[in-house]
Coordinates of all heavy atoms in Angstrom, one line a residue:
R684 N 120.6 108.5 92.3 CA 120.9 108.4 90.9 C 120.4 109.6 90.2 O 119.3 109.7 89.6 CB 120.1 107.1 90.3 CG 120.8 105.8 90.8 CD 120.0 104.6 90.3 NE 120.7 103.4 90.7 CZ 120.2 102.2 90.5 NH1 119.0 102.0 90.0 NH2 120.8 101.1 90.9
R685 N 121.3 110.6 90.2 CA 121.0 111.9 89.6 C 122.0 112.1 88.4 O 123.1 111.6 88.4 CB 121.2 113.0 90.6 CG 120.2 113.0 91.7 CD 118.8 113.4 91.2 NE 117.8 113.4 92.2 CZ 116.9 112.4 92.3 NH1 116.8 111.5 91.5 NH2 116.0 112.5 93.3
G686 N 121.5 112.9 87.4 CA 122.3 113.2 86.3 C 123.3 114.4 86.5 O 123.5 114.8 87.6
P687 N 123.8 114.9 85.5 CA 124.8 116.0 85.6 C 124.1 117.3 86.2 O 122.9 117.4 86.4 CB 125.2 116.3 84.1 CG 124.8 115.1 83.4 CD 123.6 114.5 84.1
M688 N 125.0 118.2 86.5 CA 124.5 119.4 87.2 C 123.5 120.2 86.4 O 122.5 120.6 87.0 CB 125.8 120.3 87.4 CG 125.5 121.7 88.1 SD 125.0 121.5 89.8 CE 124.8 123.2 90.2
L689 N 123.6 120.3 85.1 CA 122.7 121.1 84.3 C 121.4 120.4 84.3 O 120.3 121.1 84.3 CB 123.3 121.3 82.9 CG 124.5 122.2 82.8 CD1 124.9 122.3 81.4 CD2 124.3 123.5 83.5
W690 N 121.3 119.1 84.2 CA 120.1 118.4 84.2 C 119.3 118.6 85.5 O 118.1 118.9 85.5 CB 120.3 116.9 84.0 CG 119.0 116.1 84.0 CD1 118.3 115.7 82.9 CD2 118.4 115.5 85.1 NE1 117.2 115.0 83.3 CE2 117.2 114.8 84.7 CE3 118.7 115.5 86.5 CZ2 116.4 114.1 85.5 CZ3 117.8 114.8 87.4 CH2 116.7 114.1 86.9
G691 N 120.0 118.6 86.6 CA 119.4 118.8 87.9 C 118.9 120.2 88.0 O 117.7 120.4 88.5
L692 N 119.6 121.2 87.5 CA 119.1 122.6 87.6 C 117.9 122.8 86.7 O 117.0 123.5 87.0 CB 120.2 123.5 87.1 CG 121.3 123.8 88.2 CD1 122.4 124.7 87.6 CD2 120.7 124.5 89.4
A693 N 117.9 122.1 85.5 CA 116.7 122.2 84.7 C 115.5 121.7 85.3 O 114.4 122.2 85.2 CB 117.0 121.5 83.3
M694 N 115.6 120.6 86.1 CA 114.5 120.0 86.8 C 114.0 120.9 87.9 O 112.8 121.1 88.1 CB 114.8 118.6 87.4 CG 115.1 117.6 86.3 SD 113.8 117.3 85.2 CE 114.3 118.2 83.7
L695 N 115.0 121.5 88.6 CA 114.6 122.5 89.7 C 113.9 123.7 89.1 O 113.0 124.3 89.7 CB 115.9 122.9 90.4 CG 116.6 121.8 91.2 CD1 117.9 122.3 91.7 CD2 115.7 121.4 92.4
L696 N 114.3 124.1 87.9 CA 113.7 125.3 87.3 C 112.2 125.1 87.0 O 111.5 126.1 87.0 CB 114.4 125.6 86.0 CG 114.0 126.9 85.3 CD1 114.3 128.1 86.2 CD2 114.7 127.0 84.0

Side-chain angles (χ1 to χ4, degrees):
R684 285 178 180 170
R685 292 287 181 256
M688 178 69 177
L689 294 181
W690 179 90
L692 282 174
M694 296 301 100
L695 291 168
L696 183 63

